[in-house]
């Protein structure tokens, strides 16, 4: 069994490798790949999907280049790639993405924006980016605020060949704060209505869901027993071959710690009555297929 952590962040201080800075990731915060790799090895996780904090992906690009067997990568889309900041003489979105990917072989592209709410998706400035992902076999790594989530269904209908992964249980981030452990914290949690909506999206055969970010989505401490019900429902709706687990490191490194995250997903799979084959898919097989990761 190849274990894969399907969502983790690594980054350096902004003075070492350029990136955006905010309250969650101030300019001097450091999450080097060496510390993350040590956690993977300590807990028997073979592969990982690395996600930059923003479109400044130099460090993740370096990590992928130095260890392309262990790591796959997701890039973060820019405003220009989403069609929101294009100059009069700018190159086409597809050309820009081709050029970017030539030097950084990312397998997913993260977005927080799909179009204007209520607008026909065929008129969205983001459509060229979405079509490019479908054409190139790049997974759309979707982390969508509340006003954007309803557009996912329209995207999947318009581009049925596009693989989409809903990040963090399909949770919609809003009003983020930073807690005492330096982690994202949201006053809202995962409502039943959102779980229903995520399950309904399983009707699209290329839709996937990432069970990750437990510490931020749960209303409890580890092992996050309130998320076992949603995990079971997602497994029933999607099948294990369209569900992935991710740690969202480094945010939960201190609390609850990497081992506790693995215990939490293990407990959820136990409660769901998952077979050995289903566990292998959630803990590695699904991500390995999407990102063409080599077996361990």
């Amino acid at each position: 069994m190849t274990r894969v952590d399907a969502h983790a962040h690594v980054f350096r201080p902004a003075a070492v490798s350029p990136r955006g800075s905010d309250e969650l990731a101030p300019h001097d915060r450091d999450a080097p790949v060496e510390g993350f790799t040590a956690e993977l090895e300590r807990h028997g996780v073979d592969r990982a999907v690395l996600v930059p904090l923003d479109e400044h992906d130099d460090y993740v690009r370096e990590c992928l280049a130095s260890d392309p067997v262990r790591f796959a990568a997701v890039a973060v889309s820019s405003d220009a790639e989403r069609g929101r900041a294009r100059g009069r003489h700018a190159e086409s979105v597809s050309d820009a993405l081709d050029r970017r990917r030539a030097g950084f072989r990312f397998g997913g592209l993260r977005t927080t924006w799909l179009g204007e709410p209520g607008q026909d998706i065929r008129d969205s400035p983001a459509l060229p980016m979405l079509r490019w992902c479908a054409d190139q076999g790049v997974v759309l790594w979707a982390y969508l605020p509340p006003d954007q989530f309803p557009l996912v269904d329209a995207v999947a209908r318009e581009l049925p060949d596009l693989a989409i992964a809903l990040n963090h249980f399909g949770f919609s981030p809003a009003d983020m704060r930073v807690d005492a452990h330096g982690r994202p914290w949201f006053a809202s949690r995962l409502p039943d209505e959102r779980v229903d909506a995520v399950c309904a999206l399983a009707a699209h055969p290329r839709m996937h869901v990432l069970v990750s970010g437990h510490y931020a989505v749960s209303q409890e401490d580890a092992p996050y027993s309130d998320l076992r019900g949603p995990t079971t429902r997602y497994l029933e709706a999607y099948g294990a071959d369209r569900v992935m687990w991710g740690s969202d490191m480094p945010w939960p490194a201190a609390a609850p710690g990497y081992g506790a995250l693995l215990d939490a997903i293990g407990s959820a799979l136990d409660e769901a009555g998952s077979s050995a084959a289903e566990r292998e898919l959630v803990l590695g097989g699904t991500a390995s297929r999407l990102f063409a990761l080599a077996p361990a």
Side-chain angles (χ1 to χ4, degrees):
M1 170 181 174
T2 300
R3 278 188 169 189
V4 180
D5 183 338
H7 189 100
H9 304 281
V10 294
F11 53 89
R12 300 306 316 277
V16 176
S17 184
R19 61 170 174 81
S21 299
D22 55 20
E23 185 183 3
L24 178 63
H27 70 277
D28 58 346
R29 188 163 185 176
D30 196 12
V33 72
E34 292 82 5
F36 178 56
T37 300
E39 291 285 4
L40 297 179
E41 293 176 349
R42 185 177 300 118
H43 296 284
V45 179
D46 308 291
R47 308 279 185 262
V49 179
L50 304 180
V51 185
L53 297 180
D54 55 27
E55 63 265 31
H56 299 93
D57 50 35
D58 291 354
Y59 185 58
V60 168
R61 185 184 310 185
E62 292 172 12
C63 296
L64 183 62
S66 65
D67 199 345
V69 174
R70 190 195 302 264
F71 297 128
V74 169
V76 176
S77 60
S78 67
D79 278 346
E81 290 161 351
R82 293 189 291 268
R84 305 189 78 187
R86 293 172 58 192
R88 185 185 303 174
H89 303 295
E91 64 184 324
S92 72
V93 168
S94 60
D95 287 345
L97 285 165
D98 283 342
R99 178 172 49 79
R100 186 180 185 191
R101 197 168 186 236
F104 175 32
R105 200 68 183 172
F106 53 87
L109 186 64
R110 196 180 207 197
T111 190
T112 57
W113 194 82
L114 297 172
E116 295 298 336
Q119 179 186 57
D120 190 316
I121 200 66
R122 292 170 292 185
D123 297 326
S124 171
L127 189 59
M129 177 188 76
L130 302 174
R131 282 180 172 153
W132 181 88
C133 288
D135 291 344
Q136 298 299 317
V138 170
V139 184
L140 187 70
W141 216 242
Y143 190 36
L144 303 170
D147 69 327
Q148 291 293 303
F149 186 84
L151 299 175
V152 177
D153 181 69
V155 170
R157 291 178 186 278
E158 179 67 19
L159 298 169
D161 294 331
L162 174 63
I164 302 173
L166 303 173
N167 292 185
H168 305 328
F169 287 86
F171 174 77
S172 281
D175 301 322
M176 188 197 82
R177 307 175 198 171
V178 178
D179 71 10
H181 300 289
R183 309 176 303 184
W185 185 89
F186 303 93
S188 60
R189 292 296 189 260
L190 186 68
D192 291 343
E193 304 82 57
R194 175 49 56 85
V195 175
D196 293 342
V198 172
C199 288
L201 289 171
H204 300 292
R206 297 285 284 160
M207 193 73 65
H208 302 72
V209 64
L210 189 68
V211 288
S212 58
H214 292 68
Y215 64 90
V217 176
S218 175
Q219 298 185 48
E220 303 178 3
D221 292 330
Y224 311 117
S225 59
D226 59 330
L227 294 179
R228 293 175 186 168
T231 301
T232 296
R233 290 194 60 195
Y234 292 167
L235 287 167
E236 291 172 348
Y238 284 82
D241 61 335
R242 290 194 284 150
V243 177
M244 298 170 279
W245 169 81
S247 70
D248 203 28
M249 287 285 277
W251 317 127
Y258 202 84
L261 296 170
L262 283 167
D263 290 343
I265 186 60
S267 296
L269 293 172
D270 287 343
E271 184 159 306
S274 299
S275 66
E278 289 168 332
R279 294 175 73 93
E280 289 186 12
L281 287 167
V282 175
L283 294 175
T286 302
S288 292
R289 171 177 54 80
L290 282 178
F291 290 91
L293 290 165

